[in-house]
Amino acid sequence: MADMTITGPAPDLASLLKARPFLSLDETDGLCFEGVSLKSIAMQYGTPVWVYGAGEMRRRYRALNAALAAQDLPAHIHYAVKANGHLAILDLFRRLGAGADVVSLGEFLRARRAGIAPDDVVYSGVGKSEAELKAALAAGIGQINVESAEELAMLSGIASGLGVQATVALRMNPDVDAGTHAKITTGLAENKFGIAAADIPALYAHAASLPGLRPVGLALHIGSQILSPTPYATAYAKGADMVRHLRAQGQNVEALDLGGGIGIGYGAEPGLDLAAYAATIRRTVGGLGLRLMVEPGRYLTGPAGLLLASVILQKHTQKRFVVLDAAMTELMRPALYEAWHGILPLDAADFSVPVSPADVVGPVCESADSFAENRALPDLPPGRLVALLDAGAYGAEMSSTYNARPRAASVLADAGTARLITPRQSIEDLWADEILPG
Ligand code: LLP
């Protein structure tokens, strides 16, 4: 099982910059993101602060749509809200035509709040509660991806009780190794997700016979941060076989949800080749006359967001530690998955001075609170600013307030201007809703 560190030697600062066309280096303004000086954002809003690039998100959405269209695929993009559910970001993708993929009632209501039509939402997840299913059905949700016989029975009861027809797909577990980190692989038989292929035909027929259900097809999602089309090809071929099998049994199969998982380059390497991905879809399921759905999260928002932090101090023991004012509370991917995130200084001069190894850490009282080990970086005295790259997906969304650290602010950069989209939480906000008994 591959881990989530990058492959090959770590890229230097210049290569990291070069691989990200939305970043530029200005002699006086320093590092700029979508034409906005990151120093000016830090000055105005303080650190740590999330910065998102609207232009890069749009560019990525359009590139995926174009790759799918180039293969003549009738595929609709459902943005995976879990990657970053900020209303401003959901609104941006809605304007481009995206639907949403959600995994909780909270995410569904977020998508609704951002104006995404209920029938443009797909609901996945291994444990949807009765209350969640009821609320989603009553609101007219587009499709529910069912992950077990137990859930199917529950859904039939709820839908008939409400007097509605639930549009359902069965999520098939294709037992395919996505070649990604163990904590984000989902398509192996040993994972908790989906229904074993062997059980699908009987369950599909059962679904068609139950009141309140309208089975329309299958769903597949094999994991996240997938960099090769090969596991997709295997999983989609199994999906195609199942579609043919179900149709031969006389079942109506009109839709196939292909899941998310498109991987990005966290270093200077490219992400999953979109043209190859789309060609894989066409080759495996393109000829079946199905309505297709894709559910990307990370691909759309990951590279289009970064976390700006200030150096609190540099500490020298046997090692050099650069202690930032950002921590695992903001970006927990390195602590949780040993994920590699590029770190760039903001001063132009820092790109041409000598570098030496440093551990980049946060102030939280856990040794896991580390962003990087032995990273080649220039001297970073107190007050110096750095950008943690590719943090737009599973960054803010997985953040916490551990150690009584208020949530960071976030800013959306668009065509040279930056707008505050989340004010920094105040320290008092942390206990504002707590009740002192007596
Ligand atoms: N659809 C389903 C059913 C999913 O479970 C997921 C992600 C997606 C779509 C979107 O996957 P994406 O395109 O973003 O790879 N926190 C981890 C990632 C967890 C992904 C969970 N499921 C990380 O930081 O790497």
Side-chain angles (χ1 to χ4, degrees):
M1 188 73 55
D3 66 16
M4 247 202 286
T5 55
I6 49 169
T7 48
D12 62 12
L13 302 181
S15 322
L16 282 172
L17 187 62
K18 196 163 158 247
R20 290 162 181 75
F22 45 88
L23 292 176
S24 57
L25 200 56
D26 182 273
E27 275 315 308
T28 44
D29 291 339
L31 194 64
C32 297
F33 184 30
E34 299 217 349
V36 181
S37 146
L38 289 172
K39 277 193 202 176
S40 70
I41 292 179
M43 222 119 72
Q44 192 169 354
Y45 302 108
T47 55
V49 59
W50 300 98
V51 188
Y52 302 119
E56 180 60 14
M57 289 185 194
R58 291 190 197 102
R59 197 199 61 73
R60 301 183 78 80
Y61 183 90
R62 291 186 178 124
L64 177 58
N65 239 348
L68 295 166
Q71 296 288 341
D72 273 326
L73 294 168
H76 186 52
I77 300 176
H78 290 256
Y79 171 59
V81 172
K82 66 172 79 67
N84 189 327
H86 196 293
L87 292 179
I89 291 173
L90 297 181
D91 175 69
L92 180 149
F93 289 124
R94 176 188 61 78
R95 286 167 193 270
L96 293 172
D101 161 64
V102 304
V103 291
S104 67
L105 180 61
E107 285 191 356
F108 176 59
L109 295 180
R110 245 183 197 288
R112 293 290 299 121
R113 178 74 184 82
I116 296 176
D119 61 0
D120 211 1
V121 180
V122 179
Y123 191 172
S124 313
V126 67
K128 312 173 190 80
S129 75
E130 187 161 346
E132 288 183 304
L133 287 170
K134 198 167 178 181
L137 280 177
I141 192 154
Q143 178 174 311
I144 297 178
N145 292 346
V146 170
E147 302 217 13
S148 62
E150 293 75 4
E151 183 180 35
L152 197 68
M154 174 157 83
L155 187 60
S156 167
I158 299 167
S160 352
L162 288 171
V164 298
Q165 285 276 102
T167 302
V168 303
L170 296 190
R171 177 167 174 185
M172 168 170 143
N173 183 323
D175 196 16
V176 167
D177 185 352
T180 187
H181 189 278
K183 287 192 181 160
I184 54 170
T185 195
T186 53
L188 284 172
E190 70 198 51
N191 299 134
K192 68 179 174 182
F193 300 98
I195 298 160
D199 298 335
I200 294 270
L203 205 57
Y204 205 97
H206 183 54
S209 74
L210 286 176
L213 302 183
R214 191 173 81 87
V216 294
L218 300 173
L220 292 161
H221 171 78
I222 55 173
S224 197
Q225 183 55 9
I226 299 169
L227 290 167
S228 153
T230 310
Y232 281 117
T234 313
Y236 294 168
K238 290 188 180 191
D241 285 346
M242 187 59 75
V243 170
R244 283 185 282 262
H245 182 81
L246 293 172
R247 283 178 173 169
Q249 288 191 328
Q251 299 299 342
N252 166 53
V253 186
E254 57 196 72
L256 183 61
D257 181 342
L258 299 164
I262 301 173
I264 60 171
Y266 279 96
E269 76 284 11
L272 178 70
D273 179 341
L274 293 184
Y277 172 65
T280 299
I281 298 176
R282 174 166 180 149
R283 195 161 12 87
T284 50
V285 303
L288 295 169
L290 293 162
R291 181 166 52 78
L292 301 173
M293 287 168 253
V294 288
E295 303 172 344
R298 182 190 324 261
Y299 160 78
L300 290 173
T301 48
L306 51 81
L307 177 62
L308 276 188
S310 303
V311 176
I312 296 180
L313 53 85
Q314 270 187 121
K315 167 175 171 167
H316 299 269
T317 61
Q318 303 127 310
K319 289 173 157 188
R320 170 165 71 120
F321 287 99
V322 176
V323 186
L324 302 181
D325 63 357
M328 66 189 285
T329 44
E330 282 72 42
L331 183 61
M332 83 178 304
R333 301 192 66 257
L336 196 56
Y337 316 115
E338 289 170 0
W340 198 97
H341 282 263
I343 301 176
L344 291 180
L346 259 51
D347 281 342
D350 278 337
F351 283 75
S352 48
V353 296
V355 292
S356 66
D359 280 17
V360 182
V361 301
V364 162
C365 299
E366 302 257 355
S367 291
D369 182 26
S370 171
F371 293 116
E373 276 175 44
N374 284 320
R375 191 63 65 85
L377 286 168
D379 182 35
L380 290 167
R384 215 45 87 76
L385 294 159
V386 296
L388 298 154
L389 304 179
D390 310 310
Y394 307 110
E397 198 62 42
M398 291 170 71
S399 66
S400 78
T401 59
Y402 184 43
N403 280 198
R405 294 171 49 85
R407 284 186 202 277
S410 54
V411 166
L412 185 67
D414 195 1
T417 44
R419 275 189 209 86
L420 185 70
I421 55 169
T422 319
R424 185 174 306 285
Q425 193 178 30
S426 76
I427 288 182
E428 291 73 18
D429 283 343
L430 289 170
W431 52 80
D433 59 0
E434 290 177 17
I435 296 165
L436 252 179

